[in-house]
Structure formats: structure tokens, C-alpha cells
Amino acid sequence: MQPYVLVLYYSKYGSTKEMAHLIANGVEAAGMAVKIRTVPNIATVVKEAEPSIPAEGDIYCTLDDLAQCSALALGSPTRFGNMASEMKYFWDQTTSLWLNGALHGKPACVFTASGSMHGGQESTLLTMLPPLFHHGMMIMGLSNATPALSNTKSGGTPYGASHVSGPRHDQGLSQDEKILCEVQGKRLAEVALKLYQA
Ligand SMILES: Cc1cc2nc3c(=O)[nH]c(=O)nc-3n(C[C@H](O)[C@H](O)[C@H](O)COP(=O)(O)O)c2cc1C
């Protein structure tokens, strides 16, 4: 099977989705294949189950998509300074992969979008990491070798790419935020390729 980077995200209003696709561009720029996957909405009251294939957009991630990846970029909106429950719910179903060490030694990074500038991006990024550590993954952030990380006036952190979408989530990604997404994907793929070829 051709090695690939899995870009796995949840997005309600589209910001994290746009970041996921920019990260995927960076992966492809490094010459590696990419799978973009999302997770379904969850609700406390359910009248009807959601279809297993979404009507539009990226398809839902299977455990096999995750188990077979060479590297992972994981994205979630900031929800009260933490990852969205939809994404946490997905990780709570990965015990079988944890038991057989399917993700051991694979590189991973995280990204997020928040409504406000100081609304908890860093706490979201850092609290997305424990499940990845438990799975034995190797965590990568961003580096100041990319000038956009120092120059940005909105999102972008050493812990992973980020975006400030504004109170009505209608603020597009800035040029620096876009660069950091693409660099993060490229960097992850370059490391994955080195590990894969070693
Ligand atoms: C339940 C809920 C909680 C949120 N909590 C925060 C928060 O803690 N800080 C913040 O800046 N934005 C918060 N937001 C706003 C989202 O993070 C923001 O709209 C984000 O861009 C959504 O990403 P998406 O466009 O990928 O869905 C929250 C939104 C919702 C619906």
C-alpha cells in the first residue's frame, strides 16, 4: 500500500476544514499521498441516525484509515478551550488500535480554529496531544524557521497551526495562517517519508 498522511478533522462552520485542506496541500507538496477524513456530528437527542457516508464533503474516517496511516495531522475547532466532543468521541473508539500499537512511532501534529484571539487555541492544541501520546505517536509542532510564525497577527502557534475565525466565524485565513498550515503539512510529510524510507 502507498504510504499516506491522514489529515483528520472535525469542523462545524468550515474553518478547520479549510485548514485541513491547506495542510493536505503541504503534504502533497512534499511528494506524499494524503487522505482527508472527518468525523460525524454527535447529538444528545437523536431522532434518526446520520447516514454512514456524508451527503457532501469529506468522508468519515474509519479505524483502518487511522491504523494504516504513516503520519497524522489532527484538527478540531476550539470548544471551551478543548477539542470538540465529536473528535474526542472518535478517539474513544480507538482502543483496539491502542492495544495492538497501530500508531506507535508515527509522527503527528495538531491544528485548531477558534472564534477569538485569546479564546484557548493553545489549551486546545495541548489537550489534543494526550491521546496521541497514549498511542505512542511522535509529536511535531511548528518552528520559528518559518517567519510567518513570528510575523502573524492572528493564528499560528509553536504547538500547531491555528486560525482566528472571528465572533461570527466569517474571518478568512490570513496569509500567515495559510502559510503555517501548508508548512505544517509539508514538514509532517517530510519526516514521515524519512521514517518510512529508513
Ligand atoms: C460550543 C462551542 C464552544 C466554543 N468555544 C470557544 C472557545 O472556547 N474559544 C473561542 O475562541 N471560540 C470558541 N468557539 C468558536 C469556535 O472555536 C470557532 O467558531 C471555530 O472557528 C469553529 O471552527 P469550525 O469553523 O471549523 O467549525 C466555540 C464554538 C462553539 C460552538
Side-chain angles (χ1 to χ4, degrees):
M1 187 198 295
Q2 192 187 21
Y4 63 87
V5 173
L6 176 65
V7 181
L8 172 61
Y9 73 93
Y10 174 72
S11 182
K12 188 174 172 68
Y13 302 111
S15 296
T16 316
K17 177 180 182 177
E18 188 180 348
M19 296 179 78
H21 283 257
L22 288 163
I23 288 171
N25 291 347
V27 170
E28 287 177 332
M32 198 161 182
V34 65
K35 276 189 187 184
I36 307 177
R37 294 289 185 268
T38 188
V39 295
N41 289 312
I42 53 176
T44 47
V45 179
V46 179
K47 287 188 190 145
E48 205 179 321
E50 275 206 47
S52 55
I53 300 173
E56 57 179 14
D58 298 312
I59 61 174
Y60 298 138
C61 192
T62 64
L63 287 184
D64 203 46
D65 289 331
L66 180 58
Q68 300 300 327
C69 75
S70 296
L72 170 72
L74 180 68
S76 167
T78 290
R79 291 271 174 94
F80 303 115
N82 214 315
M83 80 171 98
S85 52
E86 282 80 357
M87 186 54 80
K88 180 65 166 61
Y89 182 71
F90 177 85
W91 282 94
D92 286 355
Q93 297 168 77
T94 61
T95 311
S96 59
L97 273 57
W98 175 75
L99 284 170
N100 66 24
L103 301 177
H104 275 195
K106 295 180 180 180
C109 64
V110 289
F111 57 100
T112 190
S114 73
S116 62
M117 182 80 166
H118 303 289
Q121 292 189 344
E122 281 91 344
S123 63
T124 300
L125 293 168
L126 292 173
T127 50
M128 286 169 75
L129 297 180
L132 310 186
F133 279 120
H134 279 256
H135 277 280
M137 302 195 88
M138 300 196 296
I139 308 303
M140 292 179 60
L142 282 164
S143 144
N144 272 87
T146 308
L149 187 56
S150 305
N151 296 338
T152 181
K153 299 281 183 286
S154 49
T157 81
Y159 317 109
S162 65
H163 163 57
V164 180
S165 66
R168 286 172 295 283
H169 31 85
D170 57 359
Q171 201 166 288
L173 271 83
S174 71
Q175 198 53 32
D176 285 332
E177 289 175 338
K178 286 181 183 174
I179 289 169
L180 291 166
C181 286
E182 289 183 355
V183 166
Q184 185 161 342
K186 188 161 180 281
R187 214 164 163 241
L188 180 69
E190 285 167 351
V191 168
L193 278 172
K194 279 184 193 153
L195 288 170
Y196 189 78
Q197 286 156 1

